Amino acid sequence: SAPRQGRLFGMFLGVLVYMGYNNLLNIARSAMARGDVPIGLGLWWVHLSVALLVVGMLWYQLRMRGPKASKVAR
């Protein structure tokens, strides 16, 4: 974690992502039971969207910022 962020920020963010994932699964499951969402669509879209969110968060956290190129003429 970053020095000024605190230790629990990552865990708090993880809990929020899990709660959102669980709520999306429950909403999608009830929509399938009501017949609003076709059975062929299933729940894979929920898993895919959360997986993309997690990959994006990991990319953002782990990206490397290299040194900026200097504009000095040689």
Side-chain angles (χ1 to χ4, degrees), residues 4-72:
R4 297 175 192 250
Q5 248 179 2
R7 289 193 231 176
L8 295 179
F9 180 74
M11 187 167 65
F12 177 71
L13 192 59
V15 168
L16 283 179
V17 169
Y18 171 75
M19 288 173 55
Y21 175 61
N22 194 20
N23 284 337
L24 271 177
L25 277 177
N26 287 332
I27 290 169
R29 190 177 301 134
S30 65
M32 277 181 40
R34 284 191 315 263
D36 295 340
V37 175
I39 300 295
L41 186 59
L43 297 175
W44 66 267
W45 61 273
V46 176
H47 302 298
L48 181 65
S49 62
V50 172
L52 289 174
L53 173 71
V54 169
V55 166
M57 289 170 63
L58 285 173
W59 175 80
Y60 180 75
Q61 184 180 9
L62 297 176
R63 70 180 177 190
M64 301 290 261
R65 292 187 181 171
K68 293 183 179 181
S70 64
K71 296 181 179 181
V72 176

